Amino acid sequence: MAPENPPAFPQAVSVADSGEKVCSGDFVGGEGMKLRDYFAAHAIASFSSAEAWAALKDDAVARGMEIPEVLARAVYEIADALLVERTKGGR
């Protein structure tokens, strides 16, 4: 089962008499970024050192992949692990 992936920046929404969802703030649009994407965006910073880039390059070569593809997979693996831990209540 996939872990819960709520909006990263939830908005207070109410339902109008017409059944339409109405946001009570100035936010206009859909739910926006999901928490998984937010975690992944922040995980990229952990790969900013020269050592991390060298490891990414080695991993990419070993897998026959490009560095951006390996990086994208890695940050989403981190994000998924954070979502799983989040469901455990920080224990």
Side-chain angles (χ1 to χ4, degrees), residues 31-83:
E31 289 184 348
M33 180 186 295
K34 291 289 192 180
L35 193 54
R36 181 175 187 249
D37 299 319
Y38 182 77
F39 284 162
H42 282 277
I44 287 176
S46 66
F47 292 92
S48 62
S49 71
E51 294 84 9
W53 277 104
L56 277 174
K57 181 179 178 184
D58 292 344
D59 194 24
V61 168
R63 294 178 186 221
M65 298 165 58
E66 297 293 325
I67 292 174
E69 185 179 5
V70 172
L71 177 61
R73 287 181 182 206
V75 298
Y76 275 100
E77 287 173 5
I78 292 168
D80 290 341
L82 288 167
L83 286 170

